């Protein structure tokens, strides 16, 4: 039982509240009883507390008073009396000598009552707190994205409100799981289905080109371009849905990360040159990492491509690769652009799909699409991290950190 | 006139493609489910097969598996974009090339033509017999003879092996191999060539118990002369 609960605040609150209450009950009862006994059956309180019948029995049972000379001398003078902190109140357990138990037994009864009440409080608080802790742990897991978490398997059969809470939690989690997964399934199915007409559209377009001898070339090219965008977007949505599946199994190979980045930079530089921009690998180390080459490759590509889009004309996107070692060896890939950057308050949302930034400098809205979201999910699958920061004096720097192992 | 067999469950897509290919002077036949696809492929008469992976069972992968047991007909598969598993399994099972669907029909046409050119021109040109160690490759009838045993390779695997044996002893880069054999540029993360080479290795190893093709890391492949 000890290792099953952690002694958190709630545990101690319940424990002490219950324990102190029990101790107070024991102590006060002892004190009041003691007081009444000391006052004797003739006091008006005795008849008030005990009721008439019991009071009468007590008076009748009373032994005849002992002979005068055997009585304890009762000091009349207040100066000779023992010290009493409260007038008319005797120390709690100090019953009159002729009735009380031997003095040692009194301390024993104090210890026994402390231990018994302590144990009871312990079990009670454990009994109350444990299920709450289980639900709490499950809630944490749920909020971090594990929708398959359930409390019932660890909670056992409890029929009370706390058992009900566990069951309600499970019901809620199951419902959320169904809702989210059905939504994802729908997104996936819709995306798949969109491809069927898109595939037909592309063939029909080529037929139109051929039959009209490409009479409206510009318009045909535009239709082709737009349908490619649509296709690309559908592909990205499917990729994101796939990456968010929990049962993903990564197939990793040993990859020379420097070469991978060199290839990406080369390709990106070629495309950027059409817009008067550049991409360079500013510095790099030689290093091999165990990764899924395709996933990490497309992550870096997405981030570099994003940087090329937002960097200002006639500027250069700089990519660096270095090794860092804070708790274990990691590689750090940074992509720096010279654009207007992103408002600080928007930075944490940059990796949400289709996040839009409103900025004064860029005049209007900028959509970051879905590429960064995919990149982030892919890096997370490698237990890595993606961080976006504004660079001084201008631009955005996106950093990927991946453990070497 | 070349004959294409389309195995795809989308009837309208097939019809549009048929019209498109007919403009390019190609004959097109259909099969709209896996089972009739297998029958149509094995019945022969087509020069190249375009096989959609995403079909109700038996899907394209199962069709490919069934067909490759006996046939080496050139097959291009259409995969869903992003479904790498399909692509890798498909190439492993001996598909000659792949294209993500939806694809540009001009791109599909170019791939089909490249594949046909390889298979047809070589059988027409005839004569060329390559022999390295105990492996003899006959480009005329597209057969490979290892220690007197005939082995079966798909047309793309055959071409990869031919290219490697032509340059036996020296290293050929992946870029060069992809361009000469698959007729396209090597793209990032493109593992097609690696899959073809791995398939050839498996077949040769099964017959000879030796590894003839060496991977030269970050460069390409090399056919080794005089394997121990």
């Amino acid at each position: 039982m000890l290792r099953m609960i952690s002694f958190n605040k709630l545990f101690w609150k319940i424990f002490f509240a219950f324990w102190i209450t029990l101790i107070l009950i024991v102590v006060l009862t002892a004190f009041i009883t003691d007081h009444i006994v000391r006052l004797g059956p003739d006091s008006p309180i005795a008849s008030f507390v005990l009721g008439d019948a019991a009071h009468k029995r007590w008076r009748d049972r009373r032994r005849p008073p002992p002979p005068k000379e055997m009585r304890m001398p009762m000091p009349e003078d207040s100066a000779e009396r023992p010290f009493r902190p409260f007038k008319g109140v005797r120390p709690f357990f100090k019953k009159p000598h002729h009735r009380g138990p031997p003095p040692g037994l009194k301390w024993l009864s104090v210890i026994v009552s402390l231990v018994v009440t302590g144990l009871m409080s312990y079990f009670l608080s454990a009994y109350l707190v444990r299920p709450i802790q289980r639900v709490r742990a499950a809630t944490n897991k749920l909020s971090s994205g594990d929708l398959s978490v359930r409390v019932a398997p660890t909670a056992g059969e409890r029929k009370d409100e706390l058992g009900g809470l566990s069951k309600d939690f499970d019901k809620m989690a199951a419902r959320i799981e169904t809702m989210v997964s059905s939504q994802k399934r729908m997104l996936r199915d819709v995306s798949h289905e969109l491809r069927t007409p898109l595939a037909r559209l592309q063939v029909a377009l080529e037929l139109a080109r051929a039959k009209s001898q490409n009479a409206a070339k510009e318009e045909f090219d535009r239709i082709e371009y737009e349908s490619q965008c649509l296709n690309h977007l559908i592909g990205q949505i499917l990729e994101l849905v796939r990456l968010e599946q929990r049962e993903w199994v990564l197939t990793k190979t040993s990859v020379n990360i420097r070469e991978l980045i060199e290839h990406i930079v080369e390709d990106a530089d070629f495309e950027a040159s059409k817009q008067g921009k550049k991409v360079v690998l500013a510095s790099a180390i030689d290093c091999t990492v165990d990764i899924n080459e395709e996933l990490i490759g497309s992550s870096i590509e997405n981030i570099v491509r994003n940087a090329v889009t937002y960097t200002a004309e006639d500027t250069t996107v700089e990519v660096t690769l270095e090794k860092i070692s804070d708790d274990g060896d990691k590689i750090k890939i940074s992509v720096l652009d010279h654009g207007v950057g992103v408002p600080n308050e928007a930075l944490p949302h940059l990796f949400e799909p289709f996040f839009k930034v409103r900025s004064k400098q860029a005049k209007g809205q900028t959509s970051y699409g879905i590429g960064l979201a995919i990149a982030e999910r892919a890096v997370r699958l490698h237990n890595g991290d993606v961080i976006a920061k504004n660079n001084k004096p201008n631009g955005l720097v996106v950093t990927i950190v991946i453990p070497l192992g | 006139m070349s004959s294409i067999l389309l195995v795809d469950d989308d009837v309208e897509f097939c019809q549009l493609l048929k019209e498109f290919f007919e403009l390019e002077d190609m004959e097109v036949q259909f099969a709209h489910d896996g089972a009739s696809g297998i029958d149509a492929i094995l019945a022969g008469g087509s020069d190249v097969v375009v096989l959609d992976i995403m079909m109700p069972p038996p899907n394209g992968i199962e069709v490919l598996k069934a067909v490759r047991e006996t046939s080496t007909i050139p097959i291009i598969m259409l995969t869903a974009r992003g479904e790498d598993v399909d692509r890798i399994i498909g190439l492993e099972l001996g598909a000659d090339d792949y294209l993500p669907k939806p694809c540009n029909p001009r791109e599909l046409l170019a791939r089909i033509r490249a594949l046909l050119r390889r298979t047809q021109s070589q059988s027409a040109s005839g004569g060329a017999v390559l022999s390295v160690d105990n492996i003899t490759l006959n480009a005329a009838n597209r057969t490979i003879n290892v220690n007197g045993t005939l082995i079966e390779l798909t047309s793309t695997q055959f071409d990869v092996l031919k290219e490697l044996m032509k340059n036996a002893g020296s290293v050929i880069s992946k870029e060069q191999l992809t361009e000469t054999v698959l007729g396209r540029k090597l793209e990032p993360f493109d593992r097609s060539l690696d899959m073809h080479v791995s398939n050839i290795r498996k077949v040769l190893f099964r017959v000879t118990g030796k590894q003839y093709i060496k991977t030269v890391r970050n460069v390409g492949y090399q056919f080794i002369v005089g394997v121990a």
Side-chain angles (χ1 to χ4, degrees):
Chain A
M1 175 162 300
L2 264 171
R3 64 188 162 79
M4 287 178 73
I5 61 162
S6 59
F7 298 93
N8 56 11
K9 280 180 188 161
L10 183 64
F11 176 86
W12 289 120
K13 276 180 191 165
I14 296 177
F15 179 84
F16 280 121
F18 195 64
W19 198 28
I20 289 169
T21 311
L22 280 178
I23 290 172
L24 277 177
I25 289 171
V26 169
V27 164
L28 281 174
T29 314
F31 166 71
I32 293 168
T33 319
D34 185 56
H35 198 65
I36 293 172
V37 167
R38 200 181 54 78
L39 287 174
D42 298 328
S43 76
I45 298 173
S47 74
F48 174 75
V49 172
L50 294 171
D52 283 343
H55 186 224
K56 190 167 178 293
R57 269 206 307 282
W58 188 25
R59 277 168 68 152
D60 294 346
R61 219 178 48 195
R62 196 165 56 132
R63 284 180 296 170
K68 243 186 175 128
E69 53 277 18
M70 282 183 69
R71 271 201 231 169
M72 294 264 296
M74 287 296 282
E76 299 298 315
D77 195 344
S78 65
E80 286 178 289
R81 287 185 191 180
F83 170 72
R84 288 178 193 166
F86 306 103
K87 199 171 164 51
V89 176
R90 276 170 161 266
F92 305 150
F93 290 98
K94 207 154 186 165
K95 288 179 182 166
H97 293 294
H98 58 280
R99 286 190 203 164
L105 275 184
K106 282 176 201 161
W107 288 111
L108 185 71
S109 65
V110 171
I111 290 163
V112 166
S113 62
L114 277 178
V115 168
V116 169
T117 52
L119 274 176
M120 280 199 58
S121 312
Y122 174 83
F123 287 119
L124 179 82
S125 16
Y127 182 73
L128 291 175
V129 169
R130 223 177 326 142
I132 297 174
Q133 278 170 345
R134 283 205 197 95
V135 174
R136 196 175 162 213
T139 313
N140 271 336
K141 265 191 174 176
L142 189 79
S143 66
S144 70
D146 180 7
L147 301 182
S148 65
V149 67
R150 298 290 181 271
V151 189
T154 53
E157 284 295 303
R158 269 177 87 130
K159 300 266 187 271
D160 59 5
E161 282 83 349
L162 285 173
L165 177 69
S166 308
K167 284 188 192 99
D168 290 348
F169 176 88
D170 286 357
K171 249 188 250 167
M172 180 189 75
R175 207 169 141 59
I176 292 176
E177 191 181 22
T178 327
M179 264 161 56
V180 170
S181 69
S182 73
Q183 212 144 38
K184 275 188 189 157
R185 201 179 322 120
M186 196 180 84
L187 187 65
R188 199 189 59 207
D189 292 350
V190 166
S191 310
H192 264 304
E193 288 304 314
L194 284 173
R195 285 187 155 165
T196 307
L198 198 57
R200 294 177 195 159
L201 179 77
Q202 288 190 338
V203 186
L205 175 67
E206 285 311 308
L207 278 173
R209 273 190 205 274
K211 284 185 178 173
S212 67
Q213 267 97 43
N214 218 358
K217 184 176 181 303
E218 245 172 68
E219 288 74 13
F220 285 144
D221 286 350
R222 187 62 195 257
I223 296 172
E224 186 175 339
Y225 172 75
E226 297 298 344
S227 71
Q228 273 166 2
C229 289
L230 199 53
N231 189 19
H232 182 64
L233 190 60
I234 294 169
Q236 284 195 314
I237 295 173
L238 286 170
E239 177 81 5
L240 187 70
V241 173
R242 214 164 51 102
L243 286 176
E244 282 181 347
Q245 279 169 358
R246 286 230 137 218
E247 61 274 21
W248 182 274
V249 184
L250 273 185
T251 44
K252 294 185 183 177
T253 50
S254 176
V255 175
N256 184 320
I257 189 86
R258 184 193 175 127
E259 277 177 18
L260 180 69
I261 294 176
E262 275 171 356
H263 274 291
I264 293 168
V265 167
E266 217 173 280
D267 285 356
D269 187 49
F270 175 73
E271 286 189 15
S273 63
K274 294 175 194 162
Q275 310 167 45
K277 300 168 179 177
K278 271 186 177 174
V279 184
V280 296
L281 183 57
S283 71
I285 44 129
D286 255 318
C287 179
T288 44
V289 205
D290 277 345
I291 49 168
N292 181 308
E293 187 177 8
E294 188 157 358
L295 280 183
I296 292 300
S298 67
S299 296
I300 301 170
E301 210 180 333
N302 282 343
I303 292 169
V304 171
R305 203 164 273 171
N306 190 70
V308 170
T309 310
Y310 295 110
T311 198
E313 248 174 67
D314 296 322
T315 59
T316 303
V317 172
E318 289 152 50
V319 185
T320 54
L321 166 66
E322 57 193 309
K323 213 182 222 176
I324 52 169
S325 8
D326 54 21
D327 71 287
D329 282 346
K330 293 170 178 178
I331 52 154
K332 181 176 153 191
I333 304 156
S334 303
V335 180
L336 164 69
D337 70 39
H338 295 285
V340 292
V342 171
N344 277 329
E345 66 274 12
L347 281 175
H349 305 286
L350 210 55
F351 299 103
E352 289 168 13
F354 304 113
F355 179 68
K356 289 188 175 62
V357 178
R358 226 176 247 290
S359 75
K360 278 179 209 145
Q361 293 123 306
K363 295 187 184 70
Q365 254 185 5
T366 319
S367 173
Y368 279 84
I370 198 168
L372 288 182
I374 293 174
E376 196 244 15
R377 307 298 189 281
V379 173
R380 288 227 181 283
L381 280 175
H382 288 79
N383 298 320
D385 217 348
V386 187
I387 309 136
K389 267 191 211 151
N390 277 312
N391 184 53
K392 276 179 187 154
N394 58 27
L396 185 75
V397 54
V398 180
T399 310
I400 300 177
V401 179
I402 305 170
L404 267 180
Chain B
M1 197 156 78
S2 317
S3 169
I4 303 169
L5 175 65
L6 278 178
V7 185
D8 192 318
D9 58 335
D10 185 349
V11 179
E12 283 177 59
F13 177 70
C14 286
Q15 234 118 37
L16 284 164
L17 263 188
K18 179 186 162 92
E19 212 180 316
F20 176 75
F21 284 136
E22 277 171 356
L23 289 176
E24 301 294 330
D25 212 22
M26 287 174 164
E27 195 184 86
V28 178
Q29 284 162 333
F30 302 144
H32 294 310
D33 62 78
S36 57
I38 296 175
D39 294 342
I41 296 170
L42 295 181
S46 333
D47 298 313
V48 63
V49 178
V50 176
L51 175 63
D52 188 7
I53 295 295
M54 293 168 298
M55 285 192 294
N59 66 19
I61 295 285
E62 286 157 334
V63 172
L64 193 60
K65 211 175 191 171
V67 167
R68 271 291 176 253
E69 281 173 12
T70 53
S71 167
T72 56
I73 186 169
I75 296 178
I76 295 180
M77 55 174 179
L78 299 178
T79 61
R81 196 179 293 265
E83 301 291 327
D84 324 321
V85 181
D86 284 354
R87 196 183 69 210
I88 291 165
I89 294 175
L91 288 169
E92 239 173 32
L93 288 174
D96 291 278
D97 207 349
Y98 74 91
L99 209 54
K101 184 185 171 188
C103 56
N104 188 319
R106 275 177 292 153
E107 173 79 22
L108 179 60
L109 183 70
R111 297 278 179 99
I112 290 174
R113 283 205 167 128
L115 199 55
L116 285 174
R117 203 164 37 239
R118 268 162 29 215
T119 48
Q120 289 172 348
S121 73
Q122 280 159 3
S123 40
S125 73
V129 175
L130 284 166
S131 197
V132 179
D133 286 355
N134 42 12
I135 301 176
T136 309
L137 182 142
N138 187 335
N141 53 11
R142 296 184 76 77
T143 54
I144 301 159
N145 192 316
V146 183
N147 295 335
T149 322
L150 274 183
I151 60 166
E152 291 262 314
L153 289 179
T154 70
S155 49
T156 304
Q157 289 163 8
F158 183 91
D159 292 325
V160 173
L161 181 62
K162 196 183 92 185
E163 210 56 39
L164 285 167
M165 282 175 67
K166 248 196 225 168
N167 302 285
S170 55
V171 183
I172 318 179
S173 72
K174 286 188 188 179
E175 284 88 352
Q176 197 191 330
L177 262 178
T178 310
E179 268 172 53
T180 47
V181 177
L182 298 176
R184 59 182 154 92
K185 252 193 89 190
L186 179 69
E187 281 163 33
F189 322 123
D190 191 348
R191 289 274 166 274
S192 310
L193 187 69
D194 304 323
M195 299 314 283
H196 291 308
V197 171
S198 134
N199 283 334
I200 300 169
R201 274 196 187 128
K202 268 185 228 158
V203 174
L204 288 182
F205 188 79
R206 204 167 52 225
V207 181
T208 63
K210 291 175 189 166
Q211 291 291 4
Y212 283 91
I213 305 170
K214 188 177 146 194
T215 308
V216 183
R217 224 184 132 70
N218 301 325
V219 184
Y221 294 105
Q222 179 185 17
F223 192 94
I224 307 165
V225 186
V227 187

